[in-house]
């Protein structure tokens, strides 16, 4: 316990240096901005900004990029409540009751509820991160290749179990991603694979290129399909402060949402979006009168907002302790670390304590910034919502194109980005959620390497995966997960949970 | 016959990618399960992908009818073609040409397209790109390309 306080002290000292405070502020402002603007998400934004972090110190770049992610969870709710258009996928459920509250003249209360819930969740999950990351990293230090391979199998199974929509397509997209991830030179043998003899593909396709294509370009085309003007419900938001009755009503849902979100955030494939969906479903089930949901129930704003922020923050735990991304944003964070010459994994915490603890402390500070940014200054963001999309998306395209170029200073990367833009659009139209593909894309080459290394170390004995207790238990867990998700009863429930809105 | 067009489309994509992967991986050297060559993992994945594709095709024959998704071909082209043009034009013509082509070309995808809006936006973004990316961040982007003798 004493360790934690001294560590948090170190983190706080790092995070409150003037320049780090500034980068934290820039991050959360940008995050709120992309959260407010529909059609531009944290994945595309972080991907665009990644090249710009080359010149920053590692702590500053991570603090800023993290701020974008959790900041987007705040901003997304503003648009959801005031315009009924979720700025982020994670605020889809907030729109259901938040917009109804706004229509009843309680927009201010809904915004305040969202901000308070997010702040509470952010504080709690900062503490959780500080408590659980160190023991997990210590455990991970004892991992060999077999354990890492088993962990990735478990992660991939979890991402299938938790994926939205069709189970079959979640698996399909995942395998497709794993295969696409293998493009480039094979590390072990030096053989170029799937490169079409193009030297530009020798290093594979960059993850940022794929992310910008699928989540940047693909999303733009999809947004352009329905270009309805967004009409604001309230030009001026007043009556921000919730009444005592409101506070009493939201307290328990916030607590439940925080815990559920924090738990789901750690799981691969989880993160903010799934957390908010599940929290909403949970509240609806627990409510004495579920009919109120969808008609302006304050619990329907409080719980998902707490959950998405908690999920956003705890999804840093596997990334920082194991070096394994649980969602596309975390994969980009790993990219940011690698750019800085830091190999993500359990050793980051011991070798770079000020990086780890500085990031943790900055999250709490960032949440404080966000409450200020989103409550008193809400009028500013309200005005931004009305920026016409036809002026916005060409700018996004320019940033994507230049951002992709600056990764390796080559124009070649622009073409795969366009191809993945086409893919991203097609898959969404075909009802295939592209997030598992990105997860597979980043894990594919890692998995292959650990599998080969484990077999090499065991002299080709495949029982190594079940003889080592840690790896065996993780594989057993994965098998149970796979069995559960394939059993008809659970499958039905799972599909219900995702259609329930 | 086919009832679910989405499953059909996705299944065809899986099978196409799987077969392509399988064919290409043939030349990479399989090795054995105990000492895997560069072709082993891709071959297993490609086979799995084909199997998933077949299941998806079979599934498309059952269940509720889902019509063919309506694709916005025109808008898709107005976004992707300017992006490719940007890539082609950047070296020879430079930012001063590539950014306006990207902006004005893609702006036409919108139903609210206005020429003067697009031109003004293109001008603004070109100046912004030169100032921020080239001057401030030092990205080695050619402002004017080889066509202009620089």
């Amino acid at each position: 316990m004493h360790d934690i306080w001294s560590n948090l002290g170190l983190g706080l000292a790092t995070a409150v240096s003037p320049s780090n405070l500034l980068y934290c502020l820039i991050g959360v402002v940008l995050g709120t901005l992309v959260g407010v603007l529909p059609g531009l998400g944290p994945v595309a934004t972080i991907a665009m900004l990644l090249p710009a972090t080359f010149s920053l110190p590692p702590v500053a770049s991570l603090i800023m990029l993290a701020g974008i992610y959790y900041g987007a969870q705040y901003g997304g709710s503003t648009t959801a409540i005031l315009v009924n258009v979720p700025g982020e996928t994670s605020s889809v459920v907030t729109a259901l009751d938040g917009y109804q509250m706004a229509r009843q003249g309680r927009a201010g209360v809904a915004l305040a509820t969202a901000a308070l819930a997010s702040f509470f969740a952010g504080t709690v999950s900062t503490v959780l991160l500080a408590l659980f990351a160190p023991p997990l990293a210590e455990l991970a230090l004892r991992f060999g290749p077999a354990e890492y391979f088993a962990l990735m199998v478990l992660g991939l199974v979890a991402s299938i179990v938790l994926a939205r929509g069709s189970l079959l397509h979640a698996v399909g997209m995942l395998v497709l991603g794993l295969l696409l991830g293998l493009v480039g030179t094979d590390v072990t043998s030096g053989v170029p694979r799937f490169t079409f003899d193009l030297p530009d593909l020798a290093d594979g396709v960059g993850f940022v290129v794929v992310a910008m294509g699928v989540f940047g370009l693909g999303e733009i085309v999809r947004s352009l399909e329905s270009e309805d003007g967004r009409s604001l419900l309230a030009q001026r938001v007043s009556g921000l402060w919730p009444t005592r009755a409101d506070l009493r009503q939201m307290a328990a849902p916030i607590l439940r949402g925080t815990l559920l979100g924090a738990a789901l955030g750690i799981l691969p494939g989880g993160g903010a979006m799934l957390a908010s969906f599940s929290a909403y479903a949970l509240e609806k089930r627990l409510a004495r009168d579920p009919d109120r949901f969808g008609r302006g129930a304050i619990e329907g704003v409080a719980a998902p907002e707490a959950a998405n922020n908690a999920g956003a923050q705890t999804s840093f735990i596997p990334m920082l302790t194991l070096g394994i991304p649980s969602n596309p944003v975390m994969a980009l964070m790993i990219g940011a670390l690698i750019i800085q010459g830091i190999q993500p994994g359990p050793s980051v915490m011991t070798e770079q304590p000020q990086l780890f603890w500085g990031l943790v402390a900055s999250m709490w500070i960032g949440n404080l910034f966000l409450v200020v940014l989103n409550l008193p200054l809400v009028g500013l963001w309200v005005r931004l919502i009305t920026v016409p999309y036809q002026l916005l998306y060409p700018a996004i395209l320019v940033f994507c194109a230049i951002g992709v170029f600056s990764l390796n200073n080559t124009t070649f990367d622009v073409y795969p980005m366009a191809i993945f833009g086409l893919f991203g659009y097609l898959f969404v139209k075909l009802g295939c959620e592209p997030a598992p593909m990105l997860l597979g894309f980043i894990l594919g080459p890692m998995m292959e390497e650990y599998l080969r290394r484990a077999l090499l170390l065991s002299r080709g004995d495949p029982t190594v995966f079940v003889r080592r207790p840690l790896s065996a238990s993780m594989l057993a867990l994965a098998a149970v997960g796979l069995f559960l998700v394939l059993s008809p009863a659970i499958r039905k429930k799972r599909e219900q949970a995702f259609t329930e809105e | 016959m086919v009832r679910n067009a989405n499953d059909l489309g996705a299944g065809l994509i899986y099978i196409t990618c799987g077969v392509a992967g399988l064919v290409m991986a043939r030349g990479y050297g399989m090795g054995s399960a105990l000492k895997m060559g560069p072709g082993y993992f891709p071959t297993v994945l490609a086979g799995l992908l084909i199997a998933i594709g077949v299941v998806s095709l079979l599934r498309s024959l059952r269940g509720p009818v889902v019509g063919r998704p309506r694709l916005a071909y025109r808008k898709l082209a107005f976004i992707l073609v300017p992006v490719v043009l940007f890539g082609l034009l950047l070296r020879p013509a430079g930012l001063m040409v590539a950014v306006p082509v990207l902006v004005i070309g893609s702006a036409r995808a919108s139903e609210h397209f206005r020429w003067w809006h697009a031109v003004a936006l293109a001008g603004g973004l070109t100046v912004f790109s030169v100032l921020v990316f080239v001057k401030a961040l030092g990205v080695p982007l050619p402002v004017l390309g080889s066509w202009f003798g620089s």
Side-chain angles (χ1 to χ4, degrees):
Chain A
M1 208 58 202
H2 169 74
D3 268 6
I4 298 220
W5 292 119
S6 67
N7 283 331
L8 277 179
L10 170 73
L12 218 51
T14 314
V16 295
S17 81
S19 69
N20 284 343
L21 275 181
L22 180 68
Y23 285 115
C24 183
L25 185 64
I26 295 176
V28 296
V29 168
L30 278 173
T32 312
L33 185 68
V34 302
V36 167
L37 298 171
L40 179 63
V43 179
T45 313
I46 294 175
M48 283 190 278
L49 280 174
L50 209 52
T53 62
F54 270 123
S55 51
L56 295 183
V59 190
S61 92
L62 234 65
I63 284 178
M64 183 177 84
L65 296 176
I68 295 174
Y69 184 39
Y70 58 79
Q73 313 307 325
Y74 277 77
S77 57
T78 307
T79 329
I81 290 167
L82 294 177
V83 208
N84 200 17
V85 175
E88 288 317 313
T89 40
S90 55
S91 45
V92 168
V93 286
T94 310
L96 300 175
D97 280 284
Y99 184 68
Q100 292 304 323
M101 282 181 77
R103 281 185 58 180
Q104 294 158 13
R106 296 186 3 113
V109 177
L111 287 170
T113 305
L116 288 177
S118 300
F119 180 67
F120 177 80
T123 310
V124 172
S125 41
T126 304
V127 176
L128 290 177
L129 188 53
L131 280 177
F132 286 112
L136 202 60
E138 214 158 285
L139 183 70
L141 278 174
R142 287 188 279 147
F143 278 18
E147 279 79 16
Y148 268 108
F149 178 76
L151 182 69
M152 284 177 199
V153 172
L154 178 61
L156 292 180
V157 169
S159 80
I160 292 167
V161 175
L162 301 175
R164 212 150 55 113
S166 153
L167 197 63
L168 177 71
H169 292 312
V171 182
M173 296 306 283
L174 184 73
V175 175
L176 184 60
L178 286 170
L179 196 59
L180 286 171
L182 298 181
V183 173
T185 311
D186 173 34
V187 202
T188 317
S189 62
V191 174
R193 294 188 291 189
F194 308 121
T195 56
F196 301 94
D197 291 327
L198 292 170
D200 292 291
L201 280 177
D203 289 332
V205 183
F207 176 73
V208 177
V209 175
V210 179
M212 273 204 234
V214 173
F215 288 101
L217 304 195
E219 189 62 35
I220 287 175
V221 182
R222 218 153 57 96
S223 304
L224 282 171
E225 282 184 345
S226 52
E227 260 189 280
D228 299 328
R230 295 191 289 277
S231 57
L232 264 180
L233 210 66
Q235 286 296 337
R236 295 182 59 85
V237 182
S238 55
L240 278 174
W241 203 243
T243 63
R244 191 169 282 205
D246 289 333
L247 285 174
R248 227 188 342 257
Q249 223 170 355
M250 70 170 97
I254 288 179
L255 197 63
R256 283 193 291 263
T258 302
L259 295 178
L260 185 65
L264 287 173
I266 303 176
L267 295 174
M273 183 182 71
L274 180 79
S276 62
F277 274 83
S278 330
Y280 189 82
L282 179 73
E283 287 308 315
K284 206 168 163 185
R285 189 141 314 156
L286 288 176
R288 231 169 291 148
D289 39 357
D291 290 349
R292 285 194 308 115
F293 281 81
R295 298 195 189 140
I298 198 165
E299 300 98 309
V301 176
E305 280 306 309
N308 70 24
N309 206 38
Q313 274 177 245
T314 52
S315 59
F316 279 86
I317 292 179
M319 190 276 283
L320 287 169
T321 55
L322 307 169
I324 292 178
S326 56
N327 59 38
V329 174
M330 289 307 123
L332 289 166
M333 293 284 171
I334 287 187
L337 281 173
I338 292 175
I339 283 179
Q340 300 281 355
I342 297 171
Q343 187 56 45
S347 53
V348 169
M349 207 174 303
T350 43
E351 282 166 19
Q352 313 259 354
Q354 79 287 8
L355 173 76
F356 178 83
W357 294 103
L359 178 62
V360 172
S362 85
M363 286 183 183
W364 191 76
I365 297 174
N367 274 288
L368 206 58
F369 280 150
L370 281 164
V371 172
V372 178
L373 277 174
N374 281 273
L375 288 182
L377 298 181
V378 71
L380 194 77
W381 304 113
V382 167
R383 220 160 303 154
L384 271 173
I385 296 177
T386 44
V387 169
Y389 193 60
Q390 68 264 29
L391 297 183
L392 190 63
Y393 77 85
I396 301 174
L397 282 177
V398 170
F399 295 145
C400 282
I402 293 181
V404 154
F405 169 87
S406 58
L407 284 173
N408 294 317
N409 295 328
T410 150
T411 52
F412 177 82
D413 284 345
V414 173
Y415 313 128
M417 176 175 79
I419 292 171
F420 277 100
L422 173 69
F423 271 6
Y425 175 70
L426 266 184
F427 288 140
V428 170
K429 293 303 275 187
L430 290 172
C432 304
E433 184 66 35
M437 180 180 93
L438 268 88
L439 212 56
F441 184 84
I442 193 106
L443 288 182
M446 287 171 146
M447 254 180 111
E448 186 190 22
E449 213 188 314
Y450 283 120
L451 176 64
R452 281 160 139 185
R453 223 189 279 169
L455 287 176
L456 204 69
L457 284 176
S458 72
R459 293 163 203 274
D461 177 11
T463 61
V464 63
F465 295 107
V466 287
R467 270 193 293 110
R468 297 178 64 117
L470 265 175
S471 127
S473 42
M474 283 190 278
L475 286 176
L477 222 75
V480 170
L482 211 56
F483 173 76
L484 281 179
V485 80
L486 287 174
S487 76
I490 304 264
R491 210 157 83 188
K492 222 179 205 159
K493 258 223 165 91
R494 178 182 164 278
E495 260 149 43
Q496 261 173 14
F498 285 112
T499 46
E500 204 168 327
E501 296 200 348
Chain B
M1 274 323 284
V2 173
R3 299 174 65 87
N4 188 329
N6 280 355
D7 280 347
L8 175 75
L12 289 177
I13 294 180
Y14 296 149
I15 292 178
T16 313
C17 294
V19 169
L22 211 56
V23 170
M24 289 170 74
R26 271 197 325 193
Y28 299 153
M30 280 291 277
S32 65
L34 303 183
K35 204 171 178 322
M36 292 184 188
Y40 195 91
F41 204 57
T43 306
V44 172
L45 288 178
L48 199 59
L49 196 57
I50 294 171
I52 295 165
V54 171
V55 174
S56 187
L57 285 190
L58 290 176
R59 206 174 73 159
S60 73
L61 305 175
R62 300 187 304 140
V65 176
V66 176
R68 231 179 71 187
R70 292 168 52 89
L71 298 178
Y73 294 107
R74 215 183 69 95
K75 290 180 173 173
L76 190 63
F78 271 131
I79 297 297
L80 297 185
V81 173
V83 169
V84 173
L85 283 178
F86 177 91
L88 293 173
L89 284 172
L90 187 62
R91 291 274 183 220
L95 271 187
M96 300 287 260
V97 178
V99 171
V101 165
L102 176 58
V103 173
I104 296 174
S106 65
R108 300 195 55 194
S110 169
E111 282 150 21
H112 307 289
F113 174 75
R114 296 276 180 286
W115 269 107
W116 71 271
H117 277 169
V119 171
L121 188 64
L125 283 170
T126 309
V127 172
F128 180 88
S129 310
V130 171
L131 288 181
V132 172
F133 290 107
V134 181
K135 301 284 182 235
L137 291 172
V139 180
L141 289 153
V143 176
L144 279 176
S146 49
W147 288 350
F148 301 95
S150 54

